[in-house]
Amino acid sequence: MAVFTRSAFLGLAVVLSVLAGAANAQLSPNFYSTSCPKLAGIVRWGMASAVRKEKRMAASIVRLFFHDCFVNGCDGSILLDDTSSFTGEKNAGPNANSARGYEVIDAIKTQVEAACKATVSCADILALAARDGVNLVGGSIWIVPLGRKDSRTASQSAANSNLPGPGSSLATLISMFGNKNLSPQDMTALSGAHTIGRSQCQFFRNRIYTESNINASFATLRQGTCPRSGGDRNLAPFDVQTADTFDNAYYQNLVGQRGLLHSDQELFNGGSQDALVRQYSSSPARFSADFATAMVKMGNLLPSSGTQEIRLNCRKPN
């Protein structure tokens, strides 16, 4: 696991604070420095506790953050339960029976509210928790720009249309990330989050039984827990080498045709991202730096409209 000295962390903070400020003047790493100075420690403690209980939770929280930001910006909308006035995102196709970790954010929010009443948004807590999840399982650390507000509504239809699926082609991935002002490089770096976490059999069954650009031994391995019919929710790790460690093994897997999802292997299949995947597969430092930059960039996606607030309960508007 990566270890950072205080001086190294502060040096990184200066560099990324400048980067974040330039990227989005509305957000600042110092947003809560006086109103909730213990925020970072509270979130870190909450995530450390959750990851200690279940390492997979790090990946689950990163996924929540990604799915939040891609639907009308990083506004905590994915955390909202359905109400009489809107159908939320939790039961949208990409999230139903797969998005998880809501209770972890709830627990952290309770502790934050006890320290700083009605001050910190659920969206900011999720952004910090995703960063800490990555670092707690061996990944890098970066400074998170803060100051987001929480939406008062959510959209199941927007979740269904804005999140790329496991069968996406490279062209679709580039287009959908491009719609969020994220470059092909950002897309390829962010896809490296699949170095941790699990996927359900229903999302990779077609790949392991019908696709030709797959390592035969890997396909056989995955077929052992994912039958041709049934077992839709059986889980398999994205990364066959180091399933719960945030490293660059995901890209090594792609080079060896051991990508779990069709959309994973699309990054290395004779297309425009092959060279970058090769670079990441041999340079953990390059991947780590590009991933951190892309996470900050994605985290700067903010809603263009709508009423916002600081939710007291992440599951419902005030």
Side-chain angles (χ1 to χ4, degrees), residues 273-284:
Q273 299 307 293
D274 281 18
L276 184 59
V277 168
R278 283 195 184 277
Q279 288 180 41
Y280 288 162
S281 74
S282 61
S283 175

Side-chain angles (χ1 to χ4, degrees), residues 36-55:
C36 195
K38 296 182 179 180
L39 172 62
I42 294 170
V43 176
R44 180 77 176 192
W45 184 90
M47 280 302 298
S49 177
V51 171
R52 203 160 40 239
K53 292 176 183 175
E54 182 191 15
K55 278 197 171 183

